[in-house]
Every structure is written in structure tokens, then in C-alpha cells.
Amino acid sequence: MRRAVALRLQAVLAAMAAAAAVTGVVAVSLPVTQASAAAGGATGYASANGGTTGGAGGQTVRATTGTAIHAALCGRASSSTPITIEVEGTINHGNTAKVSGESCNTAAGVIELKQISNVTIIGVGGGAVFDQLGIHIRESSNIIIRNVTVRNVKKSGSPTSNGGDAIGMESGVRNVWVDHVTLEASGGESEGFDGLFDMKDDTQYVTLSYSILRNSGRGGLIGSSESDRSNGYVTFHHNSYENIDSRTPLLRGGIAHIYNNSYVSLNESGINSRAGGRAKVENNYFKDSKDVLGTFYTSEAGYWQVAGNIFDNVTWSAPGSENNPAGPDPRSTTTVSVPYSYTLDGASCVPDIVRQTAGAGKGLQESNGTCTPQTPTTTPTVTPTSTPDGPNLSIGAGSDGSGKADGTSYGNVRDGDLSTYWSPSGATGDISIKWGSATTVGRVVIREAAGAAGGIGAWQLVNAGTGAVLKSGSGAGAITFTPAALSKITFRITSSSGTPKVAEFETYAG
């Protein structure tokens, strides 16, 4: 970029603080429509095409390193087995190594979600920061990323990651919901940074919501070139763009729905619809910015439908052969219909509601449609019975046991799916996990199927090779014992109330 964003930040903030009057305001009111998605669920285009549920229904694991994230992906029974990965701490190059397995395709120096599906990554506890390390989604579907910060990812200089994109998607990606994240850089291309949120090469059905994008030369793109027009169906809502040079976003072909976003200090251009792209732009608030909507840097036109936006101290360039600003009096040049219902906040209160809700660490709060924050009533994550370190060793292992009830399977206890289960043929019985060689186990988690909680009574945990009882007790949950090297471990139910149903028999090193 022509000037470093970082060098302008201090002056921009000072100018914002000094502004005492609102000038050049254009506003139109719109009726409020009803929201269809439950609070906490995917919204916008991510709710279309079958919806985006991520790892819902699968196991939940905790990770504090990038390597542990990769291990969780690689420890699944298959590349499509649902999983929720709760992340806490700082993920960086020093703790992110490649992990191999049949259910994953990872790489060092980047969080690689490649050729997989049904995954949620969510920051928990004290927060999750991906420091100089990007998240790359490729040839994948049904992915959720929530409540994380990704910062200072570089494409040049040192260290580099993910082509310089904070979050990048490419090659046949479908149904991605990115929510309540903070994406930030410390300058433009000359300082080694690229886009914060990029989509290319046939990426479709994506929503970016309640997020902060700031201090970057490039906010993000949809389509990498004028010929890359296979992308689209992207929703941007309740996001904050702060001190961005351009691309908020750049749209080449395809359709984007852009509503209830707050834009401050777009330094060169903003929403750039070109090469046949069509953008529905409504009830956004643009402040202290330049050329916030139009077709820029190309003669291949794009189109827009506008309503309800506020333009506060926005300047516009004169039209030229490769620049067609929408202002100073923005008018619609197309119409765009979206396949979902949604709730519009009034544009005048958008800066305030976005300030309260957008970004990581805001408690996943959302607007209720009247610019009032509310805590979601549902979330896509499942609270784990325990938070063991390392992969679930049962994934990819074998299993057997005593007689099983009709319609159940030994393998159901190691498939990462809480909706399937094993039951004994009577009130008592054995279920075992086994490996081809000695494996150290020091913690077991027994999860009961939905509706069967409390069915398991007394039990013993047995080293099947020696017959030694490792632990005894009653009820499902986490079981910790002195780590032992064994090739088969048995969970023996000796009493029950009703029919016991074991959904997952998870094993961990410690």
C-alpha cells in the first residue's frame, strides 16, 4: 500500500476524538424483518445450503498449542467425524507442528483445515490468540471459528504463514461461519501483511459476524482475480472495520450481503464490487472514510443495492475510466434477494451495538434487533466432561466386549459421535478398547448417550491383559488412575439402573 497503516493510526484516532460534529449525513430507515436463526446459531449465508453446525454432536477436546489442534483433527475416526476444539492460550510457530493421520492433512506454521468437515474451533477461558499464525481452510466444509484473535500474519519477512492472510479459504470450500473474532495486522503490503479475511477458488456460503478487522492494508477479498468469479454467497454483519486501506470487502463476481457493519477510517476505498459482483448494502454506518462503495481499480463494473446506510464525513472521488464511486448520492444499480430472514438494527445505533458485541472476548453477545446486547441462549459447543491434554487414544483403536443389545455396536464407543452407543445385552457387561501394541493410559472418560444419564451404576476399570483392577466406582464421567502401559482396557459395568448406554469410551495418556 502507498502508506503504512500503522503510521497513520495515531493521527486517525486523534482526528476521530477531535470530531465534534456530524457532517454530510445521509440516512434512510428500513422496516425490521424477523430473524430465523436461533440465538447463537449460524446466520446469513452460512445458514443456507444445509446450514453450518461445525462439530455439534461430536466430542469436545481442549487444546493449548497448535500441535494439539492438529492432533485433535488427526485423532478422529474419519475426516468428517464431528469435533469441537476448545482453544486457550497463544498459538504460534513454536508450538504448531505438522501431525499426520488418515483423518487430517496438516502443515507446520499454519492451522490447516484441509480436506475435512464438521469442525468447530472456539476460544475459551482466558482467550485464544493465534500470533503470527494464520488459519487456512481448503477443500473443506461445515467449519465454525468463534471467539479467537488472529494477529500479524505475514506473507513476507519473518515468520510467514498462510500467504499473509489471517483467515483464508480456497478450493471448493462450503459453509463456514466465522463469529466474534478479532483479525488484525500492523500495516499494509509493504510491511509484509496481506488480507484479513480472504475467499477464492470456489468458496461459497460463508458468514462473518460480530467481528473486528483493523489496522491492515486489506480487509479481505472474494475472488483472487477478475476471472475468479466462482465465489460468493457471503454475509457480513455486525462487524467493525477500523483503519483499513481497502477491500472491505473486494467482491469479484458472486453475491455479498453486507448489513449493520461499522466502518471507521477506510483510507483509500471500501466495499469494492467489480467484475459482475453484486452487493446488498444496508443499514451500515460509514464514518471518516473515502470512497466507501463503488467499483475501483478496474473497468469491469460491479453492482450494488443500497438502503438505510449512514455516510458520516465520507469523501468521494470523481468518476474515471477505472473508478466508479457510488457517491456522493449512492443509488442502487441492481437488486439482490437473499434466501434467509434476518433482523436489521437501525443504522444510527450500529457503531454502539457493534462496539459492545464485536470481537473476541465479548461473551458471544449479539444484538436483539433493537441495538441491545443479549447473551445467546444456545451455543454450538458442548461442555466436556473433562479437559484432558492430548488426543483421544480410542479414536482409531479397536473395541470388543460382552454380549451387546440389538442395534448397538462396540465401535460406537470410539467413533466420536454422542448420538451412537453400545449397550450390554442385560443390566451388566463389558466394553473394551484395544490397541496393537502397549499404550500408556492414565485417564478415561465415559460418556452416556442422551436421555440415559444415570443409567450406569457400579463399575470396574480393568487392565484386560493382567486382570488388574485399575479403578472402581459408580456413575459415568472422568476416571483418573496411575498411568499404565496396556494393550486392552475394559470398562466393566457391574450394576445399572435401566439399560446402560455408553456413547463414548475415551482414553487419554494422562
Side-chain angles (χ1 to χ4, degrees), residues 156-183:
S156 63
S158 180
T160 61
S161 177
N162 194 28
D165 297 335
I167 296 178
M169 291 160 268
E170 63 180 302
S171 302
V173 172
R174 293 290 185 275
N175 288 87
V176 176
W177 180 34
V178 179
D179 177 68
H180 283 91
V181 303
T182 298
L183 308 178

Side-chain angles (χ1 to χ4, degrees), residues 116-203:
I116 63 174
S117 60
N118 309 327
V119 174
T120 294
I121 293 177
I122 184 168
V124 297
V129 176
F130 294 77
D131 185 30
Q132 303 182 76
L133 193 93
I135 299 175
H136 186 200
I137 305 171
R138 184 184 180 100
E139 301 172 69
S140 295
S141 63
N142 195 25
I143 306 295
I144 294 175
I145 301 172
R146 304 187 80 185
N147 201 40
V148 304
T149 294
V150 187
R151 67 189 184 196
N152 292 332
V153 180
K154 285 192 170 186
K155 70 174 183 178
S156 63
S158 180
T160 61
S161 177
N162 194 28
D165 297 335
I167 296 178
M169 291 160 268
E170 63 180 302
S171 302
V173 172
R174 293 290 185 275
N175 288 87
V176 176
W177 180 34
V178 179
D179 177 68
H180 283 91
V181 303
T182 298
L183 308 178
E184 56 190 7
S186 297
E189 187 177 20
S190 61
E191 287 77 45
F193 305 99
D194 197 9
L196 295 177
F197 194 70
D198 280 12
M199 292 155 277
K200 58 187 178 182
D201 190 18
D202 191 28
T203 294

Side-chain angles (χ1 to χ4, degrees), residues 305-454:
Q305 178 182 349
V306 293
N309 302 290
I310 292 179
F311 302 92
D312 178 358
N313 194 32
V314 170
T315 60
W316 302 93
S317 299
S321 61
E322 293 192 348
N323 288 286
N324 180 28
D329 182 20
R331 304 285 183 90
S332 296
T333 59
T334 190
T335 58
V336 178
S337 297
V338 296
Y340 50 84
S341 57
Y342 55 100
T343 301
L344 280 171
D345 287 309
S348 61
C349 64
V350 162
D352 189 52
I353 187 63
V354 168
R355 177 186 57 79
Q356 295 180 74
T357 58
K362 296 290 183 66
L364 301 181
Q365 289 196 107
E366 304 171 346
S367 173
N368 66 354
T370 62
C371 280
T372 303
Q374 65 173 359
T375 300
T377 56
T378 61
T379 67
T381 61
V382 178
T383 302
T385 303
S386 64
T387 55
D389 292 328
N392 174 10
L393 302 174
S394 299
I395 301 294
S399 56
D400 60 25
S402 59
K404 59 181 182 291
D406 290 343
T408 70
S409 169
Y410 302 126
N412 287 342
V413 303
R414 54 180 176 83
D415 62 0
D417 187 347
L418 291 172
S419 66
T420 63
Y421 59 89
W422 164 87
S423 287
S425 57
T428 62
D430 293 359
I431 182 69
S432 301
I433 299 294
K434 57 185 179 180
W435 299 270
S437 58
T439 300
T440 298
V441 180
R443 178 183 288 259
V444 161
V445 177
I446 300 297
R447 302 185 192 270
E448 293 176 285

